[in-house]
Amino acid sequence: MRAVLITVIFLQLCVGLECVIELPNAVKKCHFGDTKCIKETANNLIRRYPKGISSIGLKPLDVVHVKDTVLVNDPPVGNAWYHFELVNQINYGFENVTITEVHGFDEDPTSSKIEIKGIIPRLVYKGNYIAKGRMLWMVNINSTGDSESEFFNFFFEFSLKVQTEYRNNKRYLKIYQLVPNVGLDRWIMWLDNFFPDNSDLTILINKIFNANWVEFWNELEKPILEIFTSVFLSIIQNTLENVAYDDMFLSNKYIKEL
Ligand SMILES: *[C@@H]1O[C@H](CO)[C@@H](O)[C@H](O)[C@H]1NC(C)=O
Ligand SMILES: *[C@@H]1O[C@H](CO)[C@@H](O)[C@H](O)[C@H]1NC(C)=O
């Protein structure tokens, strides 16, 4: 709480005094478009600051709160319908991401496609679920409990379209389109208390899920992708808002003049 207050007050002062919010000195700056350097710097930054950098608005990577999400929402009619909601979810594991490929980030960031690829060895979502429904064998489902999902070797690819916005004669980056693509090696899930009166059935349903995770993934990839994308944006968006694009990189101009 105190850190948040200090950051807010600092940012207010900065708006008033037009001061410059800079990346920490420990972060090695790269030239625009030097994607090899940018990739290394990004990985160093992630390793060094798993708890984020509050002075520039970089959110913690190790613990990310996720907005409540309805994953399945059938209308409650007939013999088989299902409503499944994830609430109070926290995302763990982003701090272990390795950025594997970066494209773009040129002096004019709109001149080429920006792409970021990475892999997370183990991505975990922990929280509570709410399930309602009726299954084929006419079992009514009405349960809530703890949920835990683990995604192994979760890889992602983000294609970004950006605009620049001028403030105090400096350019700030605004993402206006993000196309994500993800994949994984394995998904393991546990829903506690799924059949509150029958723990054997709860174990069985979890076993069925885990044996058929690929089918569930194919069904649920789209909403999960949305969750993951919002986690990614929530981590970086404030930083792009606070740190000017021109202050993130070294200009190439003098290289060209030499
Ligand atoms: C991230 O890596 C650390 C160090 O290897 C490990 O202790 C931690 O469990 C990992 N996080 C997740 C969510 O797997
Ligand atoms: C579902 O469970 C909740 C709490 O356990 C209960 O209040 C509610 O009446 C139940 N709904 C149905 C349709 O059985």
Side-chain angles (χ1 to χ4, degrees):
M1 192 62 212
R2 237 177 101 193
V4 173
L5 270 181
I6 291 168
T7 309
V8 168
I9 291 166
F10 177 72
L11 288 180
Q12 291 298 329
L13 278 176
C14 276
V15 170
L17 303 172
E18 297 194 353
C19 71
V20 176
I21 301 179
E22 283 271 17
L23 293 172
N25 287 336
V27 178
K28 180 186 162 216
K29 276 195 194 181
C30 300
H31 287 280
F32 287 113
D34 182 353
T35 51
K36 185 168 170 283
C37 172
I38 294 170
K39 185 181 88 175
E40 278 165 16
T41 291
N43 283 320
N44 287 338
L45 194 94
I46 293 160
R47 292 292 162 270
R48 233 189 147 105
Y49 300 101
K51 308 256 173 233
I53 309 172
S54 62
S55 65
I56 64 165
L58 183 69
K59 295 278 177 63
L61 306 169
D62 55 348
V63 177
V64 185
H65 293 268
V66 181
K67 66 178 188 330
D68 295 349
T69 316
V70 175
L71 273 192
V72 187
N73 197 12
D74 298 337
V77 290
N79 289 334
W81 61 272
Y82 195 48
H83 172 96
F84 188 79
E85 229 176 304
L86 290 172
V87 296
N88 308 322
Q89 294 284 319
I90 296 183
N91 178 123
Y92 299 96
F94 225 108
E95 76 277 20
N96 294 336
V97 64
T98 298
I99 304 296
T100 53
E101 226 178 300
V102 174
H103 295 282
F105 294 106
D106 288 322
E107 187 120 36
D108 172 3
T110 62
S111 70
S112 63
K113 198 154 85 171
I114 294 182
E115 275 181 324
I116 302 169
K117 294 185 190 178
I119 183 153
I120 303 172
R122 180 169 164 264
L123 182 67
V124 178
Y125 286 89
K126 248 184 183 172
N128 308 110
Y129 74 91
I130 300 167
K132 293 186 185 122
R134 181 174 282 186
M135 287 193 173
L136 275 176
W137 58 92
M138 302 292 280
V139 178
N140 283 324
I141 295 164
N142 177 24
S143 52
T144 63
D146 294 340
S147 72
E148 179 169 349
S149 266
E150 294 175 86
F151 300 98
F152 290 93
N153 289 333
F154 190 90
F155 58 88
F156 62 87
E157 205 180 302
F158 290 129
S159 275
L160 310 178
K161 285 197 176 148
V162 297
Q163 286 169 331
T164 52
E165 198 181 78
Y166 274 88
R167 266 186 277 146
N168 305 326
N169 293 319
K170 284 188 174 163
R171 297 173 304 160
Y172 288 78
L173 216 55
K174 268 211 137 48
I175 297 172
Y176 74 91
Q177 194 195 69
L178 187 154
V179 180
N181 192 8
V182 297
L184 74 165
D185 279 356
R186 181 93 175 90
W187 178 11
I188 292 176
M189 183 159 79
W190 176 257
L191 300 176
D192 221 18
N193 202 40
F194 197 78
F195 293 101
D197 306 326
N198 190 333
S199 58
D200 287 346
L201 212 49
T202 294
I203 292 170
L204 181 67
I205 201 93
N206 278 290
K207 275 193 179 149
I208 291 173
F209 173 86
N210 286 310
N212 298 282
W213 70 270
V214 175
E215 274 75 17
F216 284 91
W217 171 259
N218 289 338
E219 283 286 307
L220 299 174
E221 182 177 349
K222 202 167 160 279
I224 291 171
L225 201 58
E226 278 168 24
I227 298 174
F228 180 71
T229 304
S230 75
V231 165
F232 173 75
L233 285 175
S234 77
I235 292 172
I236 66 156
Q237 230 154 15
N238 281 348
T239 306
L240 297 181
E241 183 80 18
N242 291 337
V243 183
Y245 188 63
D246 289 312
D247 290 331
M248 286 182 192
F249 298 100
L250 302 167
S251 174
N252 293 336
K253 282 198 180 111
Y254 77 92
I255 293 183
K256 284 175 201 146
E257 282 162 11
L258 282 177

